[in-house]
Structures are given as structure tokens and as C-alpha cells.
Amino acid sequence: MLREDAFFKTLNNEELWQRYCGFLDLSVKEFLEIQEDLLKQQINLVKDSLLGKKIMNHNVPSSVDEFRRIIPLTTYEDYEPHLSERREESLAAKPEAWCHSSGRGGHFKWLPYSKEAIEVMSQLFVSYLFLATANKKGDIRIKPKERIIINLPPRPYASGTFAYYASKVFSFHLIPPLEQSEAMTFQERIQKGFQMALKSGVDEISSISSVLVKAGERMAGEAQRIRLSRFMLHPKVLLRFARAWFWSRIHRRPILPKDLWKPKGIITGGTDTSIYKKDVTYYWGVTPWEAYGSTEIPGMAVQNWNKKWLTFVPYPAFFEFLTEEDSIKSREDKSYHPSTVLIDGLEEGGLYELIITQLYGMPLLRYRMGDILKVVALRDEGAGVNLPQFVFHTRIGATIDLASLARLTESVIWQAIINTGIKYEEWSAIKEYDGATAYLRLYLELKEEREPAEIEHLVDTQLKIIDVDYRDLDSYLGLQPVKVTVLPTGTFERYYQEKVKEGADLAHLKPPHINAPESAIQTLLRLN
Amino acid sequence: MANLQSDFLYLITPLVSSVIGFCLFTIVLYRDWGKIENRLFSFVLLSLTLWSIFTFAMRASPNVQQALYWERMITPSGLALFILYYHFTSVYTRRINRGLLWAAYTLLVAASILSPMGLLHDYMTWGEYGYAPHLLPLMIVISFAGAPLIVLSLLNLIKARRVATKHEDRTRLSYMILAILLLCSFAIIDLFPNHTPMAIFGNILFGLITAIAIMKYHLLDISWAVRRGLAYLLVSIIVASFYIGLLLLTHLAFGEEDIPVWAYTLLVIAVAGFFLPFWHQMQRLIDKWFYRKRYDFLEELKRFSSNTHDITNFNQLTSTLVRLIDQALQLSGIYLLLPKETGELEVVTYIGKRATKLTFESNDPIIRQLRSNPGLLYCRDLNISPQLQFVTAETRGELQALGVEAIVPLKTRKDNLVGLLLLCHKLSHKPYSSEDEQLVLTVTNQVTVEIENARLYETARRSEKALRESETLFKTIVEAAPSFLMIVRVDGTIQYVSPNCLQFTGYNSEELSTSLTLWAHDEDKERLAQTLKRVFNGGLEVRHFEYRALKRDGTIWYASSSWQPLRDEAGKIISAIVQTIDITEHKEAEEKSKELTEKAQLASRLASVGEMASGIAHEINNPLTGVIGYSSLLIKKDLPEYVKDKLGIIHTCAQQVADIISRLLAFARQHKPARFCVDINEVVNTAISLRAYSTRTSSIEVITQFMVNLPHTIADASQLQQVFLNIILNAETEMKLAHGKGTLWITTEQDDNNIRVSFRDNGRGIAAENLPKLFDPFFTTREIGQGTGLGLSVCHGIIAEHNGRIYAESQSGAGATVTVELPIVTEDKPVARSTGRKSYEKGNQERILVVDDEPVILDFIRSALEAEGYVVETVNSAVAALVMIKNNNYNLLLLDIKLPEMNGIELYGNIQRENPLLLKSIIFITGDIMGPETSEFIFKVGVPCIAKPFTAEKLIEEVGFRLSPRM
């Protein structure tokens, strides 16, 4: 019996909830006590390692305060070339696995994971399932052998790695099975997953929100033209379609994914979650639940069962926060050593850069994640959580600064595009100059006929509604800085195909939404 | 039918069931209305009650029509019983299936509507055991739909029992499972026809058992109850067999006759009297079998309670506790952990596997959890509690390896955690019951105080021992320490004096105990008293307070004391600890060091002035040579007298300048003194005689008091003469300024290894503020133009050069005394080349090459020497000189030392290589002040040197001497 399965046999429901979601009941003081203990263990583990000595400059801090005072803030470059060359002898603990990042920053970041860290993350995977499926506190709707579709990048990406290791401690049926899916392309995997789920059904889905929305849109558009195949004649599939057809008829609408499947929970992550939340709920019948993580630490924060805000989990990393002001100042002035705050020093409404220290013998110490988070509340009374609540704000550098008045994040632009109601395929935005004036250039592929001027006006209007600072551009400077280039249908698809041919990695198959490199924009225009 | 209707049992059972159901409903509802489980079960009981009432009404019905009416009421109430019970179990076991519940309640509503409509039963029949309904198909469907709910309820209970961690919960669920099984069993019996309906009995038992299970806190262990019941039954049969046997024997004894009543009565009493103790004994025996552990434990606890008053044996106490709990719970292992001095908890006593590594830090998450939460902590909580999930793998591993199941905190009444008790699994592998928990907590609560007391006693014992050792050590240190320790009370009396202090000062402790100020020097008594006040009144710490103190024999010594006030618990100062050290030697050394520092400072000032002076002298010497030389040459010419007079004035003035330069040079100490063995008395006498005229004319009487047989010393006589002259001159001037006359007392004497020469005048004296500056260069009290301020500076330099000492003492208005002390040096020093020459011969066309970069010098030397009959050639560089030397023969070379490109020393080197014979015909002329390099060179090669400025006579004399045959 797998480790986590055994707990479902030996623990009652209250105990199970405590095991997997009990951290949501912690007070700030208890949270910090756990963090402090884990950090002390971490210092003990890394103090004699090559990288530990290098980063800590042969000092061994004896307290959290001393650690924060004497250890400098670090970036990936500080650990080079030990990590990119995967030098195990430089580490405190022999890695169980190496994961790499998407490489959007220009190169892959290789990161090792110790055995203990993987155990913790694997347990967190079960916590994800608990929270994603729960309707209220203590509501346990999962058990071993759940059927899960995971539409996330495979190993050695962190998401695939942890799905793999989670399957070693908790029994669940992956759709499609891991051994098959790892050999498929991302698109094939998605298609195959949903196809198999027609027969098997599905309990949980872990996916990028936009993939789910696209699947929903496609189904709504194509379901009326379903062609019968041998596969479709399978009794289970036929029954599923019959039921879906029945419900769609009752509601007088096309067949939607929620008619075919009744997933108990949807696990998502990334900037688009908040943007597509409504769409996902509409198509799939379940409000998506979000986790916040990265290659460095896959499960740093999770939404509560009410799927509202993010709460940090105390086990995976030691968390510090830099105020936005200090974050900017320290990036501009390398000699400036800012002080961080802990979770008890956060202020409601504040923007903070996240600083993490990996635990369980992993190497990153006081590492600048480059993410800016917003503290939306100091507690979530609705969910009974007494820890600060966050939302992801932006990546450092992933903003478009206009006239130093407005800083548009990916999510703000995305939301504005969606709010216009324009049917679009894909988009990418960059900052361009007209003489001395900066403006937002939006490359947009449409699914319908629209004039650029009309789109510019609509996007501008929506940006003014969403972003107060953006509104000031007009009122103070009389600027309407949105410029739209409409790309012909299929441009992004051609871009994708070209990148596939080039053997590009998954993260590079489409241009970034924001601040795409010049080469990517040129490719888009060439494929125009 | 009449027979059946009169069947009491048939009628009474539903009535009993309804009464019991209603009573239980009231009790459960009253017991805890707030709990949803209780509310739901009370509704179950209400359904049971209604079902029983309807059943009674149905059974009591006079005809089938009326029975059918009640039967239609029975069906929904029976279904409600099942559905509510399923709802109850799903809530109780936290396994709620909302969809199923909705469906079940829908079914109930449907049945409640359909049954009165006659769609479930159409008629009743009268069977062997009462009325029986005829079921319609819909009723069969509803029955089949309702029956699985009972099965699901049973499954819920079984699953919940499997994951139940507490013994009580398991027992409770076991009772509920038993109840539902009884209900089902009796209901199944009813499926068989032609017998008394049994479901009603099942219902009664079900209601009773379940109600007891959910309400009663302590339930008997079912298996235990069954075993014990059987044991009692067995014993009862044994006892009864004797009893029956006896009765049979009696019956046989009386034969066929009836046994009289009295005989029976007596027999029964006798048997009872005989068997009662036996019965009791058997009963106790059975109880002991079942409660043996508890008996032993209670006995042990009693013994433990009476023994724990003796807290001196800590080890015995802890081992008894461990043994006691092990005995009571029958454990596979038990470990007692108590804190070390570092606060870390370690195993002190144990039963079970060896646990050497197991320790807990004081801030370990487990300890923190135990501090904040009451009761035990189960190791399974390490997998559940968010605060404990990150307990280190080592700790987890160790606990697992030992088989630890529960951790019991040992807390004092103030909730301080003073230890841990780790309990391993029971030998029976059964979970800990609440009773076990209670037992452990009761014992540990009682024992914790004893352990803490014992530990404190142990700590106190160790502390006392340590204190004694520390006291001995302190005494040793105090006695061996160089400082003296005292404890001074606020009134100034001394509470304690270290023995070394008494030994040093010569006082005894009684003498000193009166007051600390007793030993203080009279002049410092007041300061010491003030310090005492600052310490005791102001509460200040005083460091290194220095004062003079007296030993018992009156010897003065310097004390340095540090004061630290000592306070009582209320913070009031009660005494002060005083640490005193004897700094007499240090003080003396300090005085000496101060003097040396002053001397060094003065020397430094003199050196800097000397540097400056030598620089100036060098620059002046060259032009001055021209002035002096030419004026001396011109005077010899045939010139008008008034011109000669003027030239004489020029020459004299230039000589004066040369004299000043010479003094400056002397001051700068660039000349090596020429030291010989000299009689100081003679040198002083010479100096007096040199000033004899002046003193006589100034009405100054010189009184000498020379030591006869004053030892000679090696010194530069002329320099000393300069010093003495300077001092005499100063004294003369001061006395003249004071009263136009005076007396000068000059004494010489020997003081140890020194010769001391004192010059005492009765002039104005020296102001105190001027005394430190007296030997500073350019310091003068005279008016401008009256003195250079260099005289005494030069004297200081000369005496310092001789490793001597010069100092002045004066009281303003009472004259001054200047004392010169010179060390008596008897060993011979290198004697300088004698320069005394009396005659020389004129030149005889000897060829002389003069090398100097100063045209004036070259011209002057040429004029002076050519007038004496020499052939003089001049060059202005060393390079040109080398060429000349190579091409010509010279009798003498006059070389300047400072030359451009190649200096005189380098030129000497070249001559040495190329024409070594010429080395003996070289004279150096230099305006250099004979810096260290030049001086060393001259000394090394032994070449004569004429220092600038020089007169024509000196030049001619030196050249003549050099070219003359050696004497």
C-alpha cells in the first residue's frame, strides 16, 4: 500500500483534513515557529556544503534574525556554475531529481530536489486534491485511485516531476498514463487525455486554464458536428454522450465539457487563472482552484477551499518579503542591502517581492524569486484562515511601463482584451516608441473581423476601467497609448509549427504575452 | 382468534417497546440536544416509538379493516426508522452521502403518501401468529430500496471502527454494530412463517444498546464482558452442582417421605452459610484474574505513594515510576526523559530497547506542542498535526525504532514541563484507552511533583557541593592573588579582608575592621571618604581609584582600588567589594617614564631644529667661505688703512656669522665629539678662568667647592667647556639683571657613578612655567636681540650626547641651580686623529687640482694658494677632474664632496681604482655638515677634511701640512 493511501485507511476524516490541510488553521505565530524550525534544520544541513559555504560566506547563522542579517540576497547566478552543470558534490544532500525551468529568461535553470523535499511536495499534491475538491472546511471528496487528467509539462519540468513522484506515494490513475504521456507532444497529450476520459470519466483535472477554456470553446463549437467513430460506439462513451446530449437539450445549449464529465475539482496555476476563472467554471461546471509555485518550489501557496485567495504553506520553503520600494531600490543599487519582513510584518494592500530559502538540504538561500505578490488581506474570515492572503501580481520585468505613470501587467492587459468581448486567438504585447512617446503595441490574432482602430478604442476603454494609473495617462497627458496590429488568422499556429520544427522547448512554442523578444515579434510579422 | 388476542406477549411487547422507545427518546434528547448525532438518534427512537404504537394498535385491532388501517401507518414509520438511522450513522461516522440521503428521504415521502392511499398493501389476513399484510409490488420495491440503508449503516460503522484510534470509540462502535446485527437477526427470523413475530424484540434491544452506546462514557469491553459472564456462569454451575447434589442427598436421606419444610429451610440456610464465603471467594478469584494488573498496580501505587516522601534517592524514584506504569499498562517499553543542565531532555531511566540517541531540545516542536496542549501526544499525531509533521526524520526514526506510541508530559502544577514519559505499544497491541490515559496522567501528575522535588534536591545537593568547591577555590585564588580583597560595609567598617592584605600592610583584621580610611595617607583620607560616599550613596562603581596608604610601620605605598557596590534582594546597597592593588612600583616607573618621555620630546624638538639648522648652515657656508677668505687675503694686501679697517670689520662680522653657524652645527650634533679622559674640575676651572674678567667686572663672586679626587671621565673637554661657559654666562646675566652683582656657587661631587656639577646663582630665578621649556631651542626670556635661545639647547644636546643629564631647579626670586650630571666612563674610546700642527712650509710650485662647483670658492683657493707658491688648476666637476688627473700629475687634490653628476665620494672611488697612489694626496673641502654618510666615509678612509667656511690661513696651513714631510 502506498504511503498516503495508508493514511486513508488509518485516519478518520478529521485527521485526514488535519494532515493535508491543517496548515490553514495555523496562527501566524505557529506558522513562523514551523518556519524557524525548518530553517534551522536547513542551515544545519547546508552549512558544510560547498554551495552553502559559498553563499553563507563560511558563516553559520544561529537564529532567523542573524540569517536574515548576514546572508545576502541571491539570484541564480550566485549558484553558477554548480547548478547548471548539475554538480552534486556541491550540494548538501544528494538530489533525488533535477528539474529545469521553462527557460523563458534565456536559459534553463536546473535545480536539484532532495528526497525529503520530494516527499513533502508529494504530500502537498494530495493537499491540492483535498482543497481543489472541497466545498467547505473538512469536506473530503477524494480517496485513493482518483482519475486525474494532468495537462502540464512532463519531466524534467517541475510539474511533471512532482506528478510522477506523487504517483509513488498516492495511488491515482493518470489520464493518459504517465509512461504513455511522456512520449507525446503537449497537444497530443491533451487530446488523448480527454479522449480517454470519455471512457473512464475523470475526478480531477490539473491544467492550464487557457487549455481548459479552449477545450470548452472547441467543444461548444464542434459538438453539434460530432462524427461517429468506432471509439464513439463504445457503450461507456455512447452513454456519456447521450447523457451530455440530454442535459444540453434541457439547458438548450451546445454540449459542454461539464455535460460529459463531472470533475470534483480543477487544479490550475499561472496568470491566466484569475482571467479565465469564469469561463472555466462555465465550461467545466467547477470553479478552478489555484496553486502558486515555480520550478524552485512547486507548491509555495495554495488557495483555500473557497478558491478565493492564496495562503502560503509553511513546509516547502522559508519565506521572506521585500517591500516593492526596497525591491526596486536594491535592483537599481547593488550596494543597497534591504531588510526583509516575515509573514507577520506584511501590510494589507502592500506589494512585496518574494524571497525564498529552500529547505531539506536544497541549495537556494535567500533567493529572489522575481515575483511580486499583493497582500489582499491579513486573514480570510470566510475560510477561517488566519494567515495573510495573497494574489499574484506580476513577474519583475514582466510589466510595460508607460510614461512612468502606469505599469501594465500581463493579467491587466489580458483581462482588458477579454473584457472587450472581441473573439481572439492569441496575443502578444510589447512597449514601442514613437519618438519619445512610449505606447503599448498589441499584436492580436482575431477570430472575427474587426478594425484595429476599434480594437484600440475598446482595449483603451477597458484598461481605463481596470487600471487606475492607466486612466491617468489620458487625464494627465492626454495619451491613448494602445496601438493594435491585427495578425492574419493562423499566424500564431504557424509560429507554433515553426517552433516545433526548430525543436524548441515547450515554453518557447508561442511568443510570450508580454515583452516578447524582438526575434519573436519579427517571426510573427514574417509569418503574417 | 380470541386465544391469540388474549396472547399477552403478542400484545404487550409493542407496548413495552413503545414505552422504552419513548423513554430513551426523552433521555437522549435531554442528554445533549446540541449534538446533531444525538438529535438524529432521538428521531430514530421517536420513529421506533411510533412504529411500536402503530404495531400495538394494529395487533389490538378487532378486525382486519382496522388492522389494515394501522398497517398503513406502520410502513412509513418503519421506513423512517431505517432512513433516520442511516442518516444518524453517516453523521456519526462522518461519511455523509448527500445524494443518497436525498433519495432516501424522497422515498420516505413517497411511502408516506402511497401507503395511506393503499398502494402498498391492499388487504390483511389473519395468520397463525396474528395479522399479516398482503404486500403490493410497490411495497416490495420500497422494502428493497430501504433495506440497503441498514447495510450501508452497518458498513459505515464497521469502517469507522477500523480507523478509530481510541479504545472507547472502538467499543462504542462495537456496541452499535452489535445492536444493528441483533435488529437484523430478529428481522430475518421474521421472514420465516408461523412463529411469534421477533422483530419487536430486536427493536427493543437495538434501541437500548445503541442509546447506551452513544450516551454512556465508559462502556464495558464486549469481549471482556462476555468472558467475565462466562466465568461467572461456570462458577455458578459449579457452586450450583454442589448445592443440587446436597439437596439430592438430603432427598435420598429422607427416602420416599416428604421432606419437612423446616428441614428444607435449615438446609438452605446451612448451604447458603457454607457456600456463601466460597461463592465470594470464587468471585474474588475471578475478579483478580480479570483485574490482576490493576490489583498489582494499585498495590504498587500505594507503596509508591508512601515511599516517595523520601526524595533523597532520585534514581530509585524514577525507576519506580517507570516500573509502576509499565506494570499497570503492560507495555513493551517505557522511557523517562528529564532535562540536563542545557535544558535538553535525555533518557534517565527506561525499560525496553536501549535508547542512547534519543534526546529532545527544549524548543523541539514536540516539546512545544506538549507545553501548549494538555494530555498525551500520540506518535500518530506526527503524521496529522501541521505543527508536528516536520519533526526531523531522526526523531521520527528513533521513536519508531523504539516503538513509542504515546508521549506523556510531566508537568508541574504551574504547567511547567519538567520531563517526558515515552510509552511504547502495549504488549496486547491494543490502543490506549481513556482509562489508560487517565491512569497515566494521574500517576504522572502525582509523581511529577516528587520527581521535580527530587531533582531540585539533587540539584541543590550538587550546587552545595559545587559551592563548597567554589568556596575553597575562591579562598585559594584570593590568597594567591596579587590584589587584596575587602568587603566594606556602608558605615565604612571592614567586613572581610583577604589574608594577603593583612600580611602586606602589617595590620591585623581587628585593627582594619574599624575603618578603611584608617590606613589612608592623611592627605588622601578626605578623597577616600568622598569615594566611599559615591559608592554607597550614589551606587556607583568606581574603577582604579588611586591614593596613598600607610603600612603599619608608616611606609607609604600607592593603592589602586576598584569598588563594586553589593545590594540586597530589595536593591539596597549593603556593602561594597573592594579590590586593591599595590601600584607603588608602577607609580615609580611611571614617574621615570614621564621623565624619559619629556626627555624624548625635548630631544625630538632639538633634532628637528638641528635638521633645519644644518640645512641653513650648508647653504651659508659656501658664500661665507668667499667672504672670510677674500677678506683675510685682502687684509694682507697693501691697501689704505681705512680700507684695511673696513676689511677687518667685514672679516670679523663674517667670523661672527661663521661662529653662529658653527654653534648651529654643534647644536645639530653633526660633529663627532673628540673624547678623552678629562678632569671635570679642570674643565670647570678653565671655564671660570675664561670668564674671570667678566665676573670680576660684574661684581660677581664665584665660590667653588670641588671634590678632591673627583674621578676622571671620558668626555669632549671643549664641548663640556662650552656647556659650563654657557651656564656661567647665563648665571652672570641673570644676576646682573637682578641686582647688578651676585654670587655663583659651583660645586662638583660624585654621586654613585655620576659626576655632578652644580651652578647655583642668586639671580632672579626661573619662573615655574618656564622650567619645562628651558632647554627648548630658541626659548629665551631675554629681550629681542639679547640672546639666540640656543645656548641651553646646545648644552642639553652635548650633555645628552655624553649620556648625562642637565636640569634646572629654581624658586622664583631665589636664584636658580643648574646641575650637570655626567656618567663616569673609564674605558678608553677611539681617539680622534690629532690635528695639532705647529708649522708648515711654503709652496714650491707643487701642482694642486681644486675641484668645486662654486666659482667663488675655486677663485679664492686659487688666489690663496698661488700667493703661497703653488700651481693651482681648477675644475668644476668630477668628470673634468678625472680627465685632468689622467693627463697630469698633481701633488695635491682639493675635492669638494657635494658635486653635480658625480660627487666627491664617487670621485674618490674612481681615483682609488685608477691611481691609488694619489689617495694620500687628497684633502676634502666641504660645506656639507657632515651628514651621516659623509661622516662615515671620512672616518673610514681617514682623509683630512677642511670644513667650510675656512680662512686662507687654515687652508694654507692644511695644504702645507699635507705637502710637507710627515712629522
Side-chain angles (χ1 to χ4, degrees), chain B residues 516-770:
Chain B
L516 180 65
T517 52
L518 172 82
W519 75 5
H521 190 277
D522 286 343
E523 291 176 15
D524 289 346
K525 272 196 163 82
E526 182 56 32
R527 277 200 313 128
L528 187 59
Q530 288 297 326
T531 306
L532 276 170
K533 212 180 264 182
R534 277 169 59 204
V535 173
F536 290 125
N537 296 349
L540 299 172
E541 275 182 41
V542 174
R543 301 260 171 220
H544 311 304
F545 171 72
E546 291 178 9
Y547 62 100
R548 283 168 294 172
L550 299 170
K551 292 184 185 175
R552 199 165 191 278
D553 61 8
T555 314
I556 295 174
W557 60 286
Y558 286 90
S560 170
S561 296
S562 293
W563 301 68
Q564 170 82 45
L566 298 174
R567 297 168 192 272
D568 62 10
E569 284 178 0
K572 189 183 166 192
I573 296 171
I574 48 168
S575 56
I577 188 157
V578 186
Q579 193 184 6
T580 305
I581 50 172
D582 170 23
I583 56 163
T584 310
E585 279 183 20
H586 172 74
K587 272 280 177 193
E588 285 170 0
E590 197 177 73
E591 286 292 324
K592 204 165 183 177
S593 164
K594 196 177 165 188
E595 194 181 312
L596 285 172
T597 308
E598 282 171 4
K599 280 170 85 174
Q601 283 171 351
L602 181 59
S604 168
R605 286 198 294 273
L606 293 177
S608 60
V609 173
E611 287 286 320
M612 187 188 74
S614 74
I616 294 167
H618 176 248
E619 293 303 319
I620 291 171
N621 275 342
N622 275 335
L624 204 55
T625 305
V627 177
I628 290 171
Y630 280 119
S631 59
S632 64
L633 282 177
L634 288 171
I635 285 171
K636 291 175 188 171
K637 299 284 178 186
D638 190 15
L639 294 168
E641 205 54 36
Y642 74 93
V643 176
K644 281 191 175 183
D645 287 347
K646 302 296 180 210
L647 281 171
I649 292 166
I650 292 168
H651 189 75
T652 307
C653 290
Q655 282 292 9
Q656 282 175 354
V657 173
D659 190 41
I660 291 170
I661 297 300
S662 171
R663 280 166 179 265
L664 278 172
L665 289 175
F667 169 72
R669 306 265 43 82
Q670 296 291 344
H671 291 291
K672 286 272 174 189
R675 292 185 183 172
F676 307 99
C677 194
V678 295
D679 180 356
I680 297 296
N681 284 343
E682 193 185 318
V683 178
V684 177
N685 254 332
T686 309
I688 294 169
S689 62
L690 281 171
R691 297 300 302 170
Y693 174 77
S694 177
T695 49
R696 199 168 52 246
T697 53
S698 303
S699 304
I700 289 168
E701 185 188 358
V702 177
I703 300 170
T704 58
Q705 191 181 350
F706 293 163
M707 182 187 172
V708 181
N709 296 329
L710 185 71
H712 291 196
T713 183
I714 292 171
D716 187 322
S718 62
Q719 284 188 334
L720 289 184
Q721 190 170 298
Q722 189 183 346
V723 171
F724 299 148
L725 276 172
N726 235 311
I727 297 168
I728 294 167
L729 186 65
N730 278 340
E732 278 176 27
T733 311
E734 285 301 309
M735 286 187 286
K736 277 197 279 183
L737 286 169
H739 28 70
K741 59 176 183 175
T743 306
L744 177 65
W745 291 271
I746 302 174
T747 57
T748 61
E749 59 186 328
Q750 183 184 0
D751 177 19
D752 289 339
N753 201 32
N754 288 323
I755 294 166
R756 185 184 292 135
V757 187
S758 306
F759 301 83
R760 181 160 67 86
D761 64 54
N762 59 354
R764 295 180 300 176
I766 308 162
E769 67 270 20
N770 292 333

Side-chain angles (χ1 to χ4, degrees), chain A residues 231-496:
Chain A
F231 175 76
M232 299 286 282
L233 292 174
H234 189 283
K236 281 184 179 174
V237 179
L238 213 53
L239 188 67
R240 195 172 291 279
F241 266 107
R243 198 175 58 195
W245 178 84
F246 173 75
W247 285 112
S248 69
R249 284 304 91 205
I250 284 187
H251 291 100
R252 298 182 178 196
R253 54 163 171 71
I255 294 176
L256 298 178
K258 65 183 173 188
D259 301 325
L260 287 168
W261 300 286
K262 301 283 179 204
K264 289 187 272 186
I266 291 177
I267 300 168
T268 59
T271 321
D272 56 350
T273 304
S274 58
I275 293 158
Y276 286 128
K277 196 171 186 174
K278 273 186 190 170
D279 290 342
V280 173
T281 311
Y282 170 72
Y283 287 120
W284 293 85
V286 182
T287 307
W289 174 89
E290 187 185 349
Y292 165 67
S294 68
T295 310
E296 288 85 355
I297 301 289
M300 283 181 281
V302 293
Q303 276 190 338
N304 310 327
W305 55 265
N306 61 1
K307 304 174 178 71
K308 199 173 174 187
W309 294 319
L310 291 164
T311 306
F312 272 101
V313 186
Y315 315 125
F318 179 78
F319 302 109
E320 295 173 71
F321 304 88
L322 261 187
T323 60
E324 191 190 24
E325 189 185 333
D326 274 346
S327 169
I328 294 167
K329 194 173 169 187
S330 62
R331 270 180 276 133
E332 287 170 354
D333 177 6
K334 298 290 173 200
S335 63
Y336 177 63
H337 298 292
S339 302
T340 55
V341 291
L342 299 181
I343 207 157
D344 59 345
L346 299 171
E347 289 177 8
E348 192 174 327
L351 292 173
Y352 296 92
E353 182 188 343
L354 179 62
I355 311 290
I356 58 141
T357 294
Q358 289 182 321
L359 304 170
Y360 314 109
M362 294 197 289
L364 303 184
L365 303 176
R366 305 201 79 212
Y367 182 82
R368 300 185 77 147
M369 285 289 297
D371 285 353
I372 301 285
L373 305 173
K374 183 175 185 178
V375 180
V376 284
L378 293 181
R379 62 186 58 79
D380 181 354
E381 281 172 9
V385 177
N386 289 314
L387 297 170
Q389 302 292 299
F390 300 84
V391 290
F392 176 80
H393 182 67
T394 186
R395 286 275 310 157
I396 289 172
T399 54
I400 291 181
D401 190 327
L402 296 173
S404 298
L405 272 177
R407 274 191 295 164
L408 300 178
T409 63
E410 182 187 1
S411 55
V412 166
I413 299 170
W414 204 340
Q415 192 65 61
I417 297 169
I418 286 182
N419 288 359
T420 59
I422 297 165
K423 290 180 181 167
Y424 70 96
E425 185 63 42
E426 194 51 274
W427 64 277
S428 183
I430 58 166
K431 183 179 177 179
E432 285 184 357
Y433 286 91
D434 183 5
T437 311
Y439 57 87
L440 174 76
R441 168 67 67 184
L442 195 59
Y443 294 94
L444 199 60
E445 181 182 327
L446 298 176
K447 288 180 179 174
E448 60 182 348
E449 286 292 323
R450 293 278 189 138
E451 285 302 313
E454 183 197 355
I455 301 169
E456 282 167 12
H457 172 70
L458 289 170
V459 172
D460 183 66
T461 309
Q462 286 305 322
L463 282 174
K464 279 174 184 163
I465 294 167
I466 297 167
D467 196 293
V468 180
D469 297 331
Y470 181 85
R471 203 181 304 153
D472 293 340
L473 287 173
D474 192 10
S475 53
Y476 292 168
L477 305 173
L479 280 178
Q480 287 181 337
V482 180
K483 306 266 184 198
V484 171
T485 300
V486 175
L487 299 170
T489 308
T491 305
F492 278 94
E493 179 58 25
R494 286 192 289 280
Y495 183 98
Y496 176 86

Side-chain angles (χ1 to χ4, degrees), chain A residues 85-150:
Chain A
E85 291 178 7
R86 289 189 270 173
R87 294 183 188 170
E88 294 191 355
E89 69 279 8
S90 306
L91 307 172
K94 185 175 167 56
E96 182 80 3
W98 285 86
C99 296
H100 73 57
S101 64
S102 65
R104 276 181 188 262
H107 62 279
F108 290 118
K109 286 191 232 172
W110 280 100
L111 288 159
Y113 283 89
S114 65
K115 191 178 175 207
E116 209 180 345
I118 281 178
E119 279 177 10
V120 172
M121 308 296 174
S122 306
Q123 185 184 322
L124 262 181
F125 182 83
V126 186
S127 303
Y128 283 13
L129 297 176
F130 265 65
L131 289 166
T133 56
N135 292 318
K136 64 175 184 177
K137 187 175 177 179
D139 179 22
I140 299 175
R141 297 177 65 209
I142 69 148
K143 56 187 182 302
K145 299 192 170 46
E146 295 282 288
R147 298 156 300 176
I148 307 175
I149 291 178
I150 297 186

Side-chain angles (χ1 to χ4, degrees), chain A residues 7 9-15 18-19 22-23 26 30 33-34 37-38 40-41 123 136 315, chain B residues 93-95 98 162-163 165 363-365 368 380-387 389-393:
Chain A
F7 288 116
K9 293 276 179 194
T10 55
L11 303 185
N12 62 37
N13 283 4
E14 275 176 27
E15 290 169 337
Q18 270 296 301
R19 174 171 171 79
F23 62 87
L26 294 172
E30 288 167 338
E33 278 174 356
I34 293 173
D37 285 341
L38 289 171
K40 281 183 182 167
Q41 288 177 20
Q123 185 184 322
K136 64 175 184 177
Y315 315 125
Chain B
T93 59
R94 307 276 191 280
R95 291 167 189 274
R98 291 187 189 285
R162 202 172 52 201
V163 296
T165 51
N363 63 345
D364 189 280
R368 228 167 29 220
R380 66 197 302 277
D381 290 339
L382 300 185
N383 295 320
I384 298 166
S385 166
Q387 286 101 319
Q389 284 189 37
F390 58 89
V391 164
T392 57

